[in-house]
Amino acid sequence: MTQIRIILPCPPRKKGRAWGDWYFGHSLGDALERQGCTVRYTYRHSNRLRRLKAWMLRLVSRDDVEIVIRGSVAWKPLPWKRCVQWVISQTDTLERESLRAFDHVFFGSDRYLAEHSASCKSASLLLQCTDNTCFAPNATGPETEVLFVGNRRPYAKRDVVKRAIEAGFKVAVWGKGWDGEIPETSYAGSHIKNKELSAHYASARVVLNDHTADMRRDGFVSNRVYDVLASGTPVVTEDMPGIPADLRPYLFLYSNEEELIERLTEAKEASPERRMELKTFADVVRQEHSFDRRASTILEVVSGLSEATNAMNNQTALKPGG
């Protein structure tokens, strides 16, 4: 049984709430456990003592492999353990020289893979995905015209939300950081429980999505795109590099403010036939772009790394004096 440690760029879950990276990492862990692995987690703590304890635990653990979900802060692999990294965002803080320390690097963007694979020992494409145990097209929840779920931060001001509201769309906004930025009638709340997200997505006429500047530039498509498609609902998002060819026909893509309004209108007024196509495609997304599929790919790569290491050790043993 393979023992895996997933290293997450976020604190542990607290009082029923967690960062998006927590849910991402645990969905991956659940998928790995369904394939027979034992999974443990290490978190990025702000407290120095907790960071030290987490480091010491990694030193003495008998994990077969570590999987680092890359955040804004780099993690240093332990040289005596196999360690792979999955880069899904935060590329502004990624240094090329740090990539060489990992046995394999997965990139969530084909463009970024092409630009940085030469800096890695080994690298491949691994797109973001959805948790098909959570997201499905048959969930029911509160009906909304346009739904937006996301925190407003200094590096993610979410201007598309204001533009949609100013254009007259009835937008229900969930997230933190919106005080004084949008009309009170548009603010729905600070948090939707992860287990209720699919119901909100599936019951909306349209879900509006956006990406941070680095994700748009470098072609990293967010997991929200996959989650909404898995819920069978029209999603309006940026036309950007990295969008998988099989998803593109089912997305309402915009490149500027004028197109944003046009795509929102098209998505809102989508015919019953078009909506049925999206619900049918939801099953494809849930199968082809699931954490189970991504976990299988990771295990195949890890297995290949093990075979390569064993072959190298055998060759060394066969040499005179080996």
Side-chain angles (χ1 to χ4, degrees):
M1 181 179 292
T2 304
Q3 296 187 48
I4 292 177
R5 182 171 298 277
I6 297 178
I7 300 177
L8 296 174
C10 63
R13 187 174 182 175
K14 187 177 181 181
K15 294 181 180 179
R17 293 196 178 189
W19 291 27
D21 289 325
W22 188 96
Y23 292 110
F24 188 94
H26 280 259
S27 289
L28 174 60
D30 291 344
L32 289 165
E33 287 180 342
R34 286 192 290 271
Q35 300 189 38
C37 300
T38 299
V39 179
R40 300 179 180 87
Y41 301 90
T42 290
Y43 304 94
R44 188 191 75 194
H45 292 279
S46 57
N47 180 284
R48 184 176 181 180
L49 178 59
R50 289 180 178 176
R51 289 202 307 270
L52 179 59
K53 286 182 177 179
W55 178 259
M56 294 299 294
L57 182 60
R58 289 177 63 203
L59 289 177
V60 301
S61 67
R62 297 184 177 182
D63 305 312
D64 296 309
V65 63
E66 293 184 337
I67 302 173
V68 176
I69 306 299
R70 180 59 159 78
S72 59
V73 179
W75 286 84
K76 188 176 181 180
L78 299 174
W80 61 88
K81 289 189 177 183
R82 281 175 293 154
C83 190
V84 301
Q85 179 172 239
W86 192 357
V87 180
I88 57 175
S89 64
Q90 303 285 356
T91 53
D92 283 342
T93 61
L94 185 65
E95 298 177 350
R96 285 181 181 243
E97 54 269 25
S98 68
L99 298 172
R100 193 72 183 173
F102 293 89
D103 296 298
H104 188 89
V105 180
F106 297 103
F107 291 106
S109 161
D110 51 5
R111 166 182 282 191
Y112 211 73
L113 170 65
E115 293 176 352
H116 292 79
S117 59
S119 301
C120 307
K121 294 178 183 175
S122 175
S124 61
L125 180 67
L126 193 68
L127 301 173
Q128 291 208 44
C129 51
T130 189
D131 188 335
N132 57 17
T133 68
C134 296
F135 295 94
N138 55 356
T140 56
E143 295 182 3
T144 53
E145 181 175 287
V146 178
L147 174 65
F148 182 87
V149 181
N151 298 326
R152 189 177 186 275
R153 301 186 179 98
Y155 64 86
K157 295 187 176 180
R158 317 289 199 181
D159 291 335
V160 293
V161 174
K162 288 185 178 182
R163 292 169 187 160
I165 294 172
E166 291 167 356
F169 292 95
K170 297 177 181 178
V171 186
V173 180
W174 288 85
K176 297 179 180 179
W178 290 102
D179 293 347
E181 297 296 332
I182 57 175
E184 290 185 7
T185 53
S186 296
Y187 188 64
S190 63
H191 177 70
I192 300 177
K193 294 180 180 179
N194 195 63
K195 65 181 180 181
E196 298 174 0
L197 259 178
S198 186
H200 281 261
Y201 290 158
S203 301
R205 293 286 295 174
V206 185
V207 174
L208 176 59
N209 180 69
D210 71 345
H211 293 80
T212 57
D214 61 329
M215 293 181 76
R216 288 196 306 271
R217 178 193 67 221
D218 296 325
F220 287 85
V221 178
S222 71
N223 64 305
R224 194 180 309 282
V225 169
Y226 295 92
D227 292 343
V228 178
L229 287 174
S231 302
T233 297
V235 55
V236 175
T237 193
E238 304 96 324
D239 191 352
M240 53 185 268
I243 296 177
D246 61 332
L247 301 191
R248 184 170 283 274
Y250 298 91
L251 297 172
F252 293 80
L253 301 170
Y254 67 89
S255 299
N256 52 51
E257 185 173 347
E258 181 178 345
E259 288 186 357
L260 167 66
I261 305 308
E262 291 175 357
R263 298 295 92 77
L264 279 169
T265 302
E266 290 175 9
K268 174 189 169 185
E269 298 176 357
S271 66
E273 293 78 15
R274 177 62 166 154
R275 292 182 181 276
M276 184 56 66
E277 288 179 1
L278 288 168
K279 289 189 179 296
T280 300
F281 185 64
D283 291 330
V284 177
V285 175
R286 295 177 69 246
Q287 179 178 351
E288 300 298 329
H289 294 285
S290 67
F291 274 101
D292 294 287
R293 282 295 179 95
R294 303 301 187 253
S296 294
T297 300
I298 290 172
L299 291 177
E300 287 176 7
V301 169
V302 168
S303 176
L305 293 174
S306 300
E307 292 174 0
T309 300
N310 291 337
M312 186 179 299
N313 291 339
N314 290 336
Q315 288 178 0
T316 301
L318 291 173
K319 289 181 180 180

